Amino acid sequence: MTPALAIRLEKAHQALDLTWRDLADSLDTTERSVYRWKAGDVAPGPATRRRIEALLDLIDLLEQTFDSPEEARAWLGSRVPALDNRSPFELLKRGRIDEVRETLGRLAHGVFA
């Protein structure tokens, strides 16, 4: 794995305040794989790289939408009607990054009051 990718994983881990296990779940992989990527032992495949990019896009959108990391984390932990009253964190841990990102995008554009 390139050092840049290791830095990006660390950014996702810290920005979303996910455990490494939860981050692995969101990427549909094992925690061991994430540690191996961070160590540079192996590189993630194309599908996982796309999921990492989607997660980083979500972080960018969170930063654009909320005034602080605390506000973003509060939204991630809250029950959202557009997500069937589940929290975005719940969906992230199930690998449903795109659904969370799409919902946040609609929120950012004023679709939900």
Side-chain angles (χ1 to χ4, degrees), residues 78-87 90-91 96 99 103:
S78 67
R79 300 224 174 262
V80 177
L83 298 173
D84 295 326
N85 285 320
R86 292 170 294 178
S87 75
E90 288 177 58
L91 295 178
R96 295 168 63 180
E99 191 173 343
T103 300

Side-chain angles (χ1 to χ4, degrees), residues 5-106:
L5 196 47
I7 290 169
R8 298 173 106 197
L9 284 173
E10 185 65 38
K11 178 182 179 178
H13 168 67
Q14 298 226 351
L16 297 172
D17 199 28
L18 293 172
T19 66
W20 287 109
R21 176 74 215 148
D22 290 338
L23 182 64
D25 288 344
S26 73
L27 297 173
D28 194 27
T29 192
T30 65
E31 189 174 2
R32 182 173 185 260
S33 290
V34 172
Y35 286 125
R36 291 178 67 209
W37 300 336
K38 286 179 51 184
D41 296 338
V42 295
T48 302
R49 284 181 182 266
R50 284 190 294 277
R51 284 191 291 276
I52 292 168
E53 289 303 318
L55 205 56
L56 294 171
D57 288 346
L58 172 63
I59 292 167
D60 289 342
L61 188 54
L62 285 164
E63 290 171 351
Q64 294 167 16
T65 305
F66 296 101
D67 292 330
S68 70
E70 294 77 22
E71 286 181 12
R73 287 188 190 115
W75 181 80
L76 287 167
S78 67
R79 300 224 174 262
V80 177
L83 298 173
D84 295 326
N85 285 320
R86 292 170 294 178
S87 75
F89 271 135
E90 288 177 58
L91 295 178
L92 286 177
K93 292 175 188 179
R94 295 180 184 159
R96 295 168 63 180
I97 300 164
D98 291 335
E99 191 173 343
V100 172
R101 192 176 58 184
E102 288 169 15
T103 300
L104 180 58
R106 289 192 300 267

